[in-house]
Amino acid sequence: MLSGIRHAHSGLRWIVLILLLLAIANAFSGWRSKKSYTDKDKKIHLFAMIFVHIQVLIGFISYYLNLGGKVNFGAIKESSMIRFFTVEHMTMMLIAMIVITIGFSRSKKIKETPLRFRLVFMTYLIGLVLILAGIPWPFRAALGAGWF
C-alpha cells in the first residue's frame, strides 16, 4: 500500500505543476489584458488549489504509513535525507498550500478584476516556487527520488 501511495504522490506532482502553471498563466493574462473574471477563471484557480490540497493529503498519508508516528530526532540531525522529508519538504509544501489557499480565498472578496487576477498570480507563483524548491528532484542525488 505504501508503494502505491508513494507512486501516486510522485506522479500527481506533474498534474499539480501543470495546473499551477495554467492557473498562473491565466491569472497573468487576465491581469494584463484587464478582462473580466469569469467562472472559467475561477474553476482553473480552484482546480489548481484542490489538487495542491490532495497532493498534501497524500503526502501526509505517505509520511504516516512510512514512519507511523515514530520519528527519531537523532536521525533527523544525522541524515540529510531524513531531515529533508520530515522537516524541509513538509514545511515548504504546507506553506505553499497555505499561501495558495489564502490567495484563492482573498481573491473571491476582491471586486476589481485586475487586482483579483494579480492576487492569484502572486500567491500561486509564490506557492509554485516553494513547491519547486521542496520537490526531491532526481538531480538531488542525496535524496534518492526519481522522476515518477
Side-chain angles (χ1 to χ4, degrees), residues 79-82 84-85 136-145:
S79 171
S80 64
M81 185 173 83
I82 294 172
F84 176 80
F85 285 107
W137 296 105
F139 49 82
R140 296 175 76 177
L143 302 176

Side-chain angles (χ1 to χ4, degrees), residues 14-30:
W14 298 107
I15 295 171
V16 169
L17 292 174
I18 290 168
L19 285 172
L20 279 175
L21 288 172
L22 180 64
I24 290 167
N26 175 272
F28 184 75
S29 69

Side-chain angles (χ1 to χ4, degrees), residues 31-101:
W31 174 30
R32 289 299 180 196
S33 68
K34 296 180 171 76
K35 69 174 190 160
S36 62
Y37 196 84
T38 63
D39 281 340
K40 178 186 160 216
D41 299 318
K42 182 179 178 182
K43 286 178 184 175
I44 290 171
H45 303 155
L46 178 65
F47 279 114
M49 183 189 71
I50 287 171
F51 272 84
V52 169
H53 281 250
I54 291 169
Q55 181 72 338
V56 169
L57 180 63
I58 292 172
F60 275 130
I61 292 169
S62 174
Y63 178 76
Y64 180 76
L65 289 176
N66 192 30
L67 295 177
K70 300 173 279 198
V71 178
N72 181 353
F73 291 103
I76 291 173
K77 286 190 237 178
E78 294 171 9
S79 171
S80 64
M81 185 173 83
I82 294 172
R83 184 189 69 240
F84 176 80
F85 285 107
T86 57
V87 178
E88 297 166 13
H89 178 72
M90 190 179 300
T91 303
M92 281 193 264
M93 298 305 165
L94 276 174
I95 292 171
M97 182 187 75
I98 291 167
V99 167
I100 289 168
T101 304

Side-chain angles (χ1 to χ4, degrees), residues 95-110:
I95 292 171
M97 182 187 75
I98 291 167
V99 167
I100 289 168
T101 304
I102 289 171
F104 181 78
S105 297
R106 287 196 177 166
S107 74
K108 293 190 299 186
K109 298 173 186 168
I110 297 174

